[in-house]
Amino acid sequence: MNAALLGPLVAAVLVAAIARHYHLSAPLVLVVAGLLVGLIPAVPEITLDPEMVLFVILPPLLWSAGLESSYINMRRNWRSIGRLAVGLPLVTTVAVGVVAYYTVPALTVPAALVLGAIVAPPDAVSATAIGRRVGLPRQVMTLLSGESLLNDATALTAYKVALVAAVGIATSWGLGLWIFALAAVGGIAVGAVFGALIVAIRGRLTDPLVESAVGLVAPFVIYLVAEQIHGSGVVAVVVAALILGQRFTRAHYATRLQDQAVWRAVQLILESLAFLLIGLQLPTVVQSMRGVHFTTLTVASAAVFATVLGVRLVWVTTFAYLPRLLSPRVRRDQPPPDRGQVLILAWAGMRGVVSLAAAFGVPMTTLSGDRFPGRPQLVFLTFVVVIGTLLLHGLTLPWLIRRLGVSTDQAHTDAIATATAQDKAARAAAERLDDVLAGTDPSPASERAAEALRSWNARRRNTARERLRQFDPDTDAAPDESAAAAFRRLRLEMLAAERAAFIAERDLGHIDDQVLRAVLHGLDLEEATLNLD
């Protein structure tokens, strides 16, 4: 990353912090801020570097999303995710390519298909962020997350196939299919090998800091290796991340705590930078359009934008109901799709920085030395689709979710499941404690310790149950404070007093900073336990 990006990086984090503080959509605020800053003449022009996006920003974002994804839920919904992540980008590529070919005279058929592949993959980062805030059903969130993990791989592979045809390297369908298959199979193979290798390495490490460091380096290495063998780096990173995410229960507790904190910070920084860079590209895109006929450009922009929206609406709606029409087994075993959820899924098609990076990555010339056909129009149309979908969907999606009433009380469902699981876990812990004590002759100290542990275990179980009280529809007034809630409130007050006393001792020179950090770490872990939702 060069020095010119330091300013945008700092600005992106600050703007994202302000947006989060006021509960605004950070992606939209960042894009608008970038557009406004880009219009200021004194601001130096910053051109998006495709290599930086594809090799620096994309791998860790995919890795973080893969670690948080549920392999079980994705496997359960693999047909729907496959249609969204594989079928929809390919259909969008062809549809947009046809429309662009007939509305932009400068584009050849391969160049038009390059444009189609560029704008095909939705960026579901902002859609899932909005969905979490307004409480979208978990089924919809699973589909959006699964789509966002895999659709980049489909679209970027189609992009490579169309690009080699546009620059004159390949002219046959057979070679194109071979490139596509090699990317998919190579990506899966690299991801599976590295996923298993990292699991084995981290399983033998005893230092949580080194384990986290391995996880930070892994996505970049995996992406680079996959691309070097002409596989899909996106597929490789996603496969490896899903393997690691499924095995996270075997990691050391300190590693899990560190990974969650580190990856959330990394995700915030990179996503903020990506969305700000989208807005900052306005001067570069406008400058490239000098001499292009305005009317032709307007018609092409409207046609391509409408095609991107229309294809997703038709595709999602069709495959939500078509299986029920064709299969009696589906009608018998599955409930009918919720119309509101179908519409929300069809409307969550915002494009992002990957599309712009691919557009800026189109070469200036073909293999013969001629200018790449219609490259300025291609970049401009990509910018129109990215900005248009971000603003249109980002501004209307929260309203549409509330209007259709598709948000769900997932917190209530989770509280019930947590209380049930916590009850079973508490019983298992109590039985284990009794088994350990039964094999020994307990001393008075052991008896006192066991009694304290039984009280702690009972409090944990009661806390999970008491969370359900806030969802009781028969309770009009706030319930009286429970024993567990009183314990939590009083213990937090005690922790605050302990923390202040330790800091005062440090300030007086009675203890060293290293000692203070060690004791504060223990207090912080206890406070985190008390504040678990």
Side-chain angles (χ1 to χ4, degrees), residues 265-343:
V266 170
Q267 191 172 8
L268 174 65
I269 293 171
L270 294 180
E271 286 178 0
S272 301
L273 177 62
F275 284 111
L276 185 68
L277 287 175
I278 290 174
L280 289 174
Q281 300 314 299
L282 179 60
T284 302
V285 174
V286 171
Q287 185 178 7
S288 68
M289 296 312 299
R290 291 178 179 175
V292 179
H293 199 277
F294 177 77
T295 303
T296 302
L297 200 58
T298 302
V299 171
S301 299
V304 169
F305 188 71
T307 303
V308 169
L309 299 183
V311 168
R312 184 176 181 88
L313 284 169
V314 172
W315 182 271
V316 172
T317 304
T318 299
F319 282 98
Y321 297 101
L322 186 62
R324 295 186 61 82
L325 295 175
L326 300 179
S327 174
R329 184 177 61 84
V330 173
R331 291 195 296 270
R332 183 184 66 249
D333 297 339
Q334 298 180 10
D338 182 275
R339 293 183 179 180
Q341 294 185 20
V342 172
L343 183 56

Side-chain angles (χ1 to χ4, degrees), residues 114-326:
V114 169
L115 173 63
I118 287 172
V119 300
D123 176 53
V125 169
S126 46
T128 52
I130 293 172
R132 292 190 196 99
R133 192 167 69 245
V134 299
L136 270 182
R138 187 155 292 162
Q139 171 76 7
V140 179
M141 295 296 293
T142 297
L143 295 179
L144 285 175
S145 300
E147 177 190 11
S148 67
L149 280 174
L150 299 173
N151 61 10
D152 287 340
T154 304
L156 290 177
T157 304
Y159 166 77
K160 291 179 181 178
V161 174
L163 192 61
V164 295
V167 298
I169 297 177
T171 57
S172 68
W173 282 102
L175 182 57
L177 292 174
W178 167 251
I179 294 173
F180 196 95
L182 179 62
V185 174
I188 294 173
V190 171
V193 170
F194 271 91
L197 181 62
I198 295 171
V199 167
I201 292 174
R202 293 182 65 164
R204 286 166 173 77
L205 294 174
T206 58
D207 188 340
L209 188 61
V210 176
E211 289 187 53
S212 294
V214 170
L216 278 173
V217 174
F220 303 102
V221 175
I222 295 170
Y223 191 94
L224 181 61
V225 171
E227 291 293 323
Q228 287 296 317
I229 67 168
H230 304 291
S232 171
V234 174
V235 172
V237 171
V238 168
V239 169
L242 288 174
I243 293 174
L244 266 293
Q246 189 66 15
R247 304 293 182 90
F248 81 102
T249 54
R250 303 182 183 181
H252 193 274
Y253 79 92
T255 303
R256 287 197 296 270
L257 289 174
Q258 284 184 163
D259 281 354
Q260 290 175 0
V262 168
W263 280 112
R264 285 176 183 174
V266 170
Q267 191 172 8
L268 174 65
I269 293 171
L270 294 180
E271 286 178 0
S272 301
L273 177 62
F275 284 111
L276 185 68
L277 287 175
I278 290 174
L280 289 174
Q281 300 314 299
L282 179 60
T284 302
V285 174
V286 171
Q287 185 178 7
S288 68
M289 296 312 299
R290 291 178 179 175
V292 179
H293 199 277
F294 177 77
T295 303
T296 302
L297 200 58
T298 302
V299 171
S301 299
V304 169
F305 188 71
T307 303
V308 169
L309 299 183
V311 168
R312 184 176 181 88
L313 284 169
V314 172
W315 182 271
V316 172
T317 304
T318 299
F319 282 98
Y321 297 101
L322 186 62
R324 295 186 61 82
L325 295 175
L326 300 179

